[in-house]
Each structure stands twice: as C-alpha cells, then as structure tokens.
C-alpha cells in the first residue's frame, strides 16, 4: 500500500488532520489500534475554542455542532463559599466557547471521513513507524494476523500520550518536560440537567470540584481525588454527597442527581516533548504534550497542532517548500507552552495541594480574590480560556 501521509491514531488530532489534508487534496490513511466504539466510548473533553470550531467548519463538520453546541460566554468561580462570574464577552470583546463533547466531535469527524471514502484501518496491532530518518518512511502493523506495510512521504504521530510514535524517536533527539500532580479527577456523567447555566470551577478545602455539561439534559461533574482511590469505591450516592459538600449554597440547592452513566478517574499531568518532529515523523496532540484538564485545553491544542501541520504539508506539496515543515515544531510549541502555563496555573490555584500548608492556601485565596477584583487579571484568565489565536 502507498499513501502520502500515514496518520497513526484516530483520536481528534488524527481525524481532524485527516480531514484537513483531504481538504487540501493530500491523500492519507489512518492506522488505529482500537475500534470505533472503543474510541467513542471515552468520555473526555467538553469545551471548544472558537479557533477549533472554525477548523471543524472548514472541514465541513460544523452543522450538528451549530445545532447542538451550547455557547458559553463565561464561567463561574466559587471559593470561600461564594460564586463569582468571569464574563468572557466583557473581558475579550465578545468571544465565547462552545460546549460540545469530544465524543460528538469524534463522531462527526468519523462520519465525514467515511462519507469522503478515506481509509481508516482499525484494530491494527504492533504499529511501527520505520525509516523516519530517511526519505521513504514505512508504517508496518499486523492486521488479522498478517503483517501489512504502507509506504508514505511523512508520518503523523497522533497516537496520544501512550502511543508508539514519540517512543520511536531516539532519546538523544528528544527532550521532555514534566509535572505530575499528587491528585486526580473523579468524573461522573449523568442524564440530569446542569446545575447552572455556566460551568462552575470550585476551590474548596476538601478539594477542587467542576460542574460541566454536555447538553441541557446531560451533566458532567468532576471531583479532585487522591491517586490511591479506586473508582469502584465511589458509589453514586457518595459522589453526589461529596459534590454537594463542595458547592456554593445556590448550586447545592439546585443540584439534580441521578444514576451515573459513566464514572472514571484520570490522573493529572503536564508534559511536553521537544521538538515535535524527528526526520519525517511529526507529533501532534497528546502524543507531544499533555495538560491537566483544568484549563480545558487538551483537545484545542490538538486542533492548533494539526492546523499548523496541515498548512505545512499543503505548502510542501503545493509550493514545493519545506519551510513550513521545518518551522512546524517551533510554531506549535510557542502555543503549547502558553497553554501549559495557563493549565498549570488554573490547576495550582484551584486544587488542594497538600494538607497543612496554610501558606499555600492563603496564597490561593489571595490570588482568587485578586482575580475577581482586577480587570487585568480577569482579562488574562478570559483570553486564555477562550483560546489564544492560531
Ligand atoms: P487521543 O484522544 O488520546 O487519541 C489517540 C489515538 O491513538 C490511538 N493509539 C494508537 N493507534 C495505533 N497504534 C498505537 N500504538 C496507538 N497508541 C494509541 C488511541 O487508541 C487513540 O484513538 O489523543 P489526541 O487525538 O491527541 O486528542 C487529545 C485529546 O483526547 C485530549 O487532549 C483531551 O481529551 C483532553 N481533555 C480536554 N481537552 C479540551 O480541550 N477541553 C476539555 O474540556 C478537556 N477535558 C480532557 C478533559 C481530558 C480528560 N482526561 C480523561 C485525560 C477532561 C478529561 C477528564
Ligand atoms: C468537561 O466537560 O469534561 C470539562 C469541561 C471543562 C474542563 C474540563 C473538562 O476544564
């Protein structure tokens, strides 16, 4: 088999890259370890920046999004038992975010890919990028017990944090930067109406809590938990009790509870690999970087990466210029590091860091108090949350 670009991984990064390349007339094949249902079953991101929405429109998958997404013009911040509004429209001159689940984005992109007749190979085992430091890379894998190879011009490693792409780069050619946080998020999805019209980010002595949503009838909640906790040990009733305890009085009164559709624990991590290229292999999305979910940036960074990469590949084929490919890593990393900073800052300000650290606790409260009273600080949060330009 031969194609121009082999994309490893069929998450949002790989699927969006595939559609962007198709839009530019560049042939591509996606090779994915899992199957469609497994990918659609993962409950992850919920907040899309306007830049991400624009890219989805560009590849023709904006219709359902425009019908079903909830447009949000701010968030609530709760601390010391009181709720405060951060108004994005006022702070950023009218910008908003869209609440539309990663599952829906993935579904829309998969449908568009199928409609365009583009090839995706699911259930590919033992995927290996080969010859990435030469001019003719090959991706090999095992499908139904048979070894298959695809010749290509370039490989896009869109296979997430645990993927094979980053791992096949020689360690002497890549540098990594990491922060692991001493806590995780316990998430619960339920068919209950959202507790408030905006997302609520809560700092509480017992730990962080987030009230998010997927629609007017489906809610997504998160609780900061310790890393040794097991999801099986949390009954729905315990989850709702703990959430109620961390909320402000108004939210506590309006919270509607119900059986969980899904419950899971995610560890929190900040991670960046530099550069995002080795020879003919380019990394994009979680394969190259991870942010803690507090800033809602992971999926949006995957979108800006593949935007830069697709432009660089278009330039390579249409204008016979490698300049975009040579500049890809630097261009992407400039935006990645700003999102890393923002996500780390939001996480540090809102989570219970360690027991008995009164100094850190008072700094958090001072920072939050400053944030809601300073126009400059509110604007800074708002412009990062709605997304820096790309
Ligand atoms: P993905 O989604 O992990 O997809 C990678 C794909 O590669 C496949 N794969 C392989 N395929 C072939 N061979 C191999 N060896 C392979 N190894 C892996 C995998 O099966 C998978 O299909 O990475 P991608 O595409 O880079 O997308 C990144 C996003 O999924 C991620 O950044 C976001 O979900 C992060 N995130 C959020 N991002 C936002 O922008 N806004 C949010 O509100 C938000 N909330 C969240 C989040 C992530 C969370 N968790 C669970 C970490 C909330 C949570 C709780
Ligand atoms: C979500 O709805 O899953 C979500 C929303 C905002 C975040 C993280 C996750 O910051």
């Amino acid at each position: 088999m031969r194609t121009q670009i082999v994309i490893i991984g069929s998450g949002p990064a790989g699927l969006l890259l595939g559609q962007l390349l198709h839009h530019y007339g560049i042939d591509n094949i996606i090779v994915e370890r899992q199957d469609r249902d497994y990918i659609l079953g993962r409950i992850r991101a919920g907040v899309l920046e306007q830049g991400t929405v624009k890219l989805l429109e560009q590849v023709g998958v904006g219709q359902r999004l425009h019908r079903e997404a909830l447009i949000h013009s701010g968030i609530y911040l709760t601390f010391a038992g009181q709720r405060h509004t951060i108004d994005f429209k006022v702070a950023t001159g009218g910008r908003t975010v869209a609440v539309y689940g990663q599952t829906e984005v993935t579904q829309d992109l998969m449908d568009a890919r199928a409609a365009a007749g583009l090839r995706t190979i699911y259930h590919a085992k033992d995927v290996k990028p080969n010859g990435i430091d030469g001019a003719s890379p090959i991706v090999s894998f095992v499908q139904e017990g048979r070894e298959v190879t695809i010749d290509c011009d370039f490989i896009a490693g869109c296979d997430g944090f645990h993927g094979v792409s980053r791992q096949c780069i020689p360690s002497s050619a890549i540098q990594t930067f990491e922060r692991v946080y001493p806590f995780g998020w316990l998430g619960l999805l339920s068919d209950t109406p959202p507790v408030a019209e905006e997302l609520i980010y809560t700092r509480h002595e017992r730990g962080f809590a987030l009230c998010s949503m997927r629609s007017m009838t489906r809610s997504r909640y998160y609780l900061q938990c310790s890393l040794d906790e097991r999801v099986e040990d949390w009954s729905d009733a315990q989850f709702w009790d703990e959430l109620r305890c961390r909320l402000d009085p108004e939210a506590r009164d309006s919270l509607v509870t119900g059986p969980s559709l899904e419950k899971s624990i995610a560890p929190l991590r900040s991670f960046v690999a530099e550069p995002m290229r080795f020879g003919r292999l380019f990394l994009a999305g979680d394969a190259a970087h991870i942010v803690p979910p507090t800033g809602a940036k992971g999926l949006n960074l995957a979108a800006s990466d593949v935007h830069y990469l697709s432009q660089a590949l278009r330039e390579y084929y249409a204008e016979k210029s490698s300049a975009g490919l040579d500049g890809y890593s630097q261009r992407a990393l400039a935006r990645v590091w700003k999102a890393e900073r923002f996500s780390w800052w939001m996480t540090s300000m809102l989570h219970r860091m360690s027991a008995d650290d009164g100094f850190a606790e008072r700094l958090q409260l001072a920072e939050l108090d400053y944030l809601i009273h300073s126009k400059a600080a509110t604007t800074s949060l708002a412009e990062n949350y709605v997304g820096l330009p790309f």
Side-chain angles (χ1 to χ4, degrees), residues 188-195 211 217-221 223 235-245 247 251-261:
L188 180 147
L189 186 73
S190 61
D191 272 336
T192 53
V195 68
C211 305
T217 56
R218 182 167 285 190
S219 300
R220 178 73 166 157
Y221 296 101
L223 292 174
S235 68
D236 289 359
Q238 278 172 309
F239 184 97
W240 294 119
D241 285 348
E242 184 61 33
L243 178 65
R244 211 177 274 114
C245 179
L247 295 180
R252 201 173 292 145
D253 284 347
S254 37
L255 181 69
V256 179
T257 63
S260 63
L261 303 172

Side-chain angles (χ1 to χ4, degrees), residues 48-56 95 300 303 335 386 390:
L48 306 183
E49 299 170 3
Q50 280 176 354
T52 305
V53 171
K54 255 207 212 144
L55 283 179
L56 294 168
R95 296 181 57 198
N300 294 296
R335 191 168 192 277
V386 300
F390 61 91

Side-chain angles (χ1 to χ4, degrees), residues 44-47 185 199 201 210 212 214 220 222 293-296 385:
R44 288 186 166 184
V47 177
W185 278 17
L199 272 60
Y201 288 80
L210 170 62
S212 182
R214 290 291 177 271
R220 178 73 166 157
Y222 296 99
T294 327
Y385 196 96

Side-chain angles (χ1 to χ4, degrees), residues 100-122:
Y100 191 68
Q102 178 165 333
T103 309
E104 313 312 320
V105 174
T106 308
Q107 175 83 64
D108 294 347
L109 286 167
M110 282 177 168
D111 291 350
R113 187 167 180 87
L118 299 174
R119 283 174 290 179
T120 305
I121 296 161
Y122 290 107

Side-chain angles (χ1 to χ4, degrees), residues 321-386:
S321 163
S322 298
L325 290 176
D326 294 339
Y328 165 69
S329 176
Q330 206 184 353
R331 197 174 173 205
L333 284 169
R335 191 168 192 277
V336 165
W337 273 111
K338 292 186 193 92
E340 290 284 345
R341 184 207 69 81
F342 176 66
S343 307
W344 163 84
W345 172 74
M346 285 279 278
T347 304
S348 314
M349 180 173 66
L350 291 167
H351 288 72
R352 180 185 154 93
M353 283 304 183
S354 64
D356 308 325
D357 190 350
F359 187 80
E361 186 186 313
R362 275 162 181 73
L363 284 186
Q364 282 183 332
L365 291 169
E367 177 134 37
L368 284 159
D369 193 43
Y370 171 64
L371 185 59
I372 56 156
H373 288 110
S374 156
K375 195 172 166 196
T378 304
T379 305
S380 172
L381 188 157
E383 72 185 8
N384 279 282
Y385 196 96
V386 300

Side-chain angles (χ1 to χ4, degrees), residues 19-62:
Q19 292 314 111
L20 286 164
L21 293 178
H22 176 63
H23 181 72
Y24 295 135
I26 302 169
D27 187 41
N28 62 86
I29 299 177
I30 295 185
V31 180
E32 164 63 48
R33 182 169 61 178
Q34 305 287 354
D35 60 31
R36 267 178 71 101
D37 292 345
Y38 179 92
I39 296 164
L40 291 170
R42 292 186 297 215
I43 310 295
R44 288 186 166 184
V47 177
L48 306 183
E49 299 170 3
Q50 280 176 354
T52 305
V53 171
K54 255 207 212 144
L55 283 179
L56 294 168
E57 285 165 356
Q58 189 188 332
V59 299
V61 297

Side-chain angles (χ1 to χ4, degrees), residues 192-342:
T192 53
V195 68
E197 59 283 8
E198 301 295 5
L199 272 60
I200 310 179
Y201 288 80
T202 300
R203 182 207 174 276
H204 190 275
E205 300 76 66
R206 293 175 67 89
F208 171 78
L210 170 62
C211 305
S212 182
M213 62 191 77
R214 290 291 177 271
S215 69
M216 293 319 287
T217 56
R218 182 167 285 190
S219 300
R220 178 73 166 157
Y221 296 101
Y222 296 99
L223 292 174
Q224 177 182 352
C225 63
S226 70
L227 285 172
D228 49 26
E229 281 178 85
R230 294 178 333 143
V231 68
E232 305 79 54
D233 296 336
W234 280 87
S235 68
D236 289 359
Q238 278 172 309
F239 184 97
W240 294 119
D241 285 348
E242 184 61 33
L243 178 65
R244 211 177 274 114
C245 179
R246 298 185 192 185
L247 295 180
D248 61 85
E250 192 184 335
R252 201 173 292 145
D253 284 347
S254 37
L255 181 69
V256 179
T257 63
S260 63
L261 303 172
E262 189 262 7
K263 255 194 309 219
S264 53
I265 293 183
L268 266 64
R269 184 193 298 273
S270 297
F271 174 88
V272 182
E274 291 186 1
M276 289 168 61
R277 173 200 191 164
F278 179 74
R280 290 193 166 236
L281 169 70
F282 293 84
L283 302 178
D286 279 14
H289 42 73
I290 295 283
V291 285
T294 327
K297 289 285 158 255
L299 171 58
N300 294 296
L301 276 185
S304 55
D305 285 355
V306 299
H307 166 66
Y308 297 141
L309 184 55
S310 64
Q311 281 194 329
L313 289 165
R314 188 202 57 78
E315 210 176 294
Y316 176 85
Y317 287 109
E319 296 162 29
K320 313 250 174 303
S321 163
S322 298
L325 290 176
D326 294 339
Y328 165 69
S329 176
Q330 206 184 353
R331 197 174 173 205
L333 284 169
R335 191 168 192 277
V336 165
W337 273 111
K338 292 186 193 92
E340 290 284 345
R341 184 207 69 81
F342 176 66

